[in-house]
Amino acid sequence: DAGVIQSPRHEVTEMGQEVTLRCKPISGHDYLFWYRQTMMRGLELLIYFNNNVPIDDSGMPEDRFSAKMPNASFSTLKIQPSEPRDSAVYFCASSLSVDFQETQYFGPGTRLLVL
Amino acid sequence: KQEVTQIPAALSVPEGENLVLNCSFTDSAIYNLQWFRQDPGKGLTSLLLIQSSQREQTSGRLNASLDKSSGRSTLYIAASQPGDSATYLCAVIKLGNRDDKIIFGKGTRLHILP
């Protein structure tokens, strides 16, 4: 398996623009997680899905952030409109069944810069 | 709210030495604790997962311990190698609390000197 795939790897956009980050989890993994990493706040869980259903979105910072998982092999994290403080590295991770008891496999991340 | 602290933030050690990385947490009611490794520009790689009922886990030259009562975990690396240079993060997991599901420390940047 190729592991967790994220695209794009780098994104530079201007404030106010819509940003869409994409993730393909490892085949067969039932859980998908979106994280954000910044120097100030470290790594934070934004939202996670189980079998394509959002389970916990309490980490999503604002209504400008939304995430979907239309099928087992694809998820998106959208920011609309984007702001400079959204600049961060966004990671997607997936794991087998059981809530946080199984190893999570992380993608390489998307480095987002909002000007 | 759970807080996870890793001290020191950075550490340089000569190759071959044994070393210990520290992780402390404020709420001992955790489900499990995980140690991750992050290489520059990469995602996280899971190293060890310790269930709350366990005291330690071992994988090769790595040994992680957990003391819930004192709110501490350590990652012991034996016979360090330059390839061990990376940032090491610990994360504590607490079930049943939407705002406190998984909390990461900010990590310790480890540099092994050849």
Side-chain angles (χ1 to χ4, degrees):
Chain A
D1 199 312
V4 176
I5 299 173
Q6 292 187 247
S7 65
R9 293 294 310 277
H10 302 273
E11 178 81 23
V12 180
T13 190
E14 293 186 345
M15 182 174 64
Q17 296 297 307
E18 177 179 294
V19 175
T20 299
L21 311 181
R22 298 173 176 79
C23 174
K24 176 179 169 56
I26 293 173
S27 177
H29 281 191
D30 295 327
Y31 286 82
L32 183 140
F33 309 83
W34 281 102
Y35 292 91
R36 178 174 68 175
Q37 187 175 38
T38 62
M39 289 292 292
M40 287 294 294
R41 300 175 66 90
L43 192 64
E44 302 172 288
L45 175 65
L46 300 178
I47 184 172
Y48 76 97
F49 296 82
N50 178 22
N51 290 323
N52 313 337
V53 177
I55 302 300
D56 186 347
D57 65 354
S58 60
M60 298 285 264
E62 300 172 35
D63 291 343
R64 300 183 295 106
F65 287 71
S66 63
K68 295 182 180 179
M69 192 165 186
N71 58 62
S73 60
F74 184 66
S75 177
T76 60
L77 178 67
K78 186 174 294 186
I79 308 173
Q80 167 62 22
S82 59
E83 297 183 3
R85 60 195 168 115
D86 301 330
S87 298
V89 181
Y90 291 82
F91 290 102
C92 175
S94 69
S95 70
L96 290 170
S97 57
V98 185
D99 201 359
F100 289 103
Q101 192 165 339
E102 295 286 342
T103 298
Q104 293 183 60
Y105 294 85
F106 280 72
T110 295
R111 189 173 296 274
L112 173 65
L113 177 61
V114 183
L115 303 174
Chain B
K1 181 176 170 65
Q2 177 76 274
E3 292 184 6
V4 179
T5 303
Q6 292 186 250
I7 296 175
L11 181 65
S12 292
V13 175
E15 179 180 3
E17 287 198 3
N18 304 324
L19 61 99
V20 175
L21 305 180
N22 298 295
C23 172
S24 61
F25 46 94
T26 55
D27 186 348
S28 62
I30 65 171
Y31 181 63
N32 65 43
L33 183 145
Q34 299 187 39
W35 282 93
F36 294 87
R37 168 186 173 135
Q38 185 174 26
D39 291 285
K42 302 282 183 65
L44 277 67
T45 300
S46 179
L47 297 174
L48 290 164
L49 184 154
I50 310 176
Q51 302 286 356
S52 61
S53 58
Q54 298 175 320
R55 300 276 307 199
E56 65 178 326
Q57 281 285 344
T58 298
S59 176
R61 294 183 294 107
L62 306 180
N63 176 276
S65 68
L66 174 63
D67 184 343
K68 283 178 50 181
S69 60
S70 65
R72 293 182 184 176
S73 176
T74 62
L75 179 66
Y76 174 84
I77 303 177
S80 59
Q81 303 171 357
D84 295 330
S85 298
T87 296
Y88 291 80
L89 296 91
C90 68
V92 298
I93 292 89
K94 182 177 178 180
L95 295 184
N97 185 328
R98 282 168 57 88
D99 294 332
D100 220 3
K101 183 75 73 174
I102 178 169
I103 304 295
F104 286 82
K106 295 232 179 125
T108 294
R109 291 192 314 279
L110 177 64
H111 181 48
I112 304 300
L113 305 168

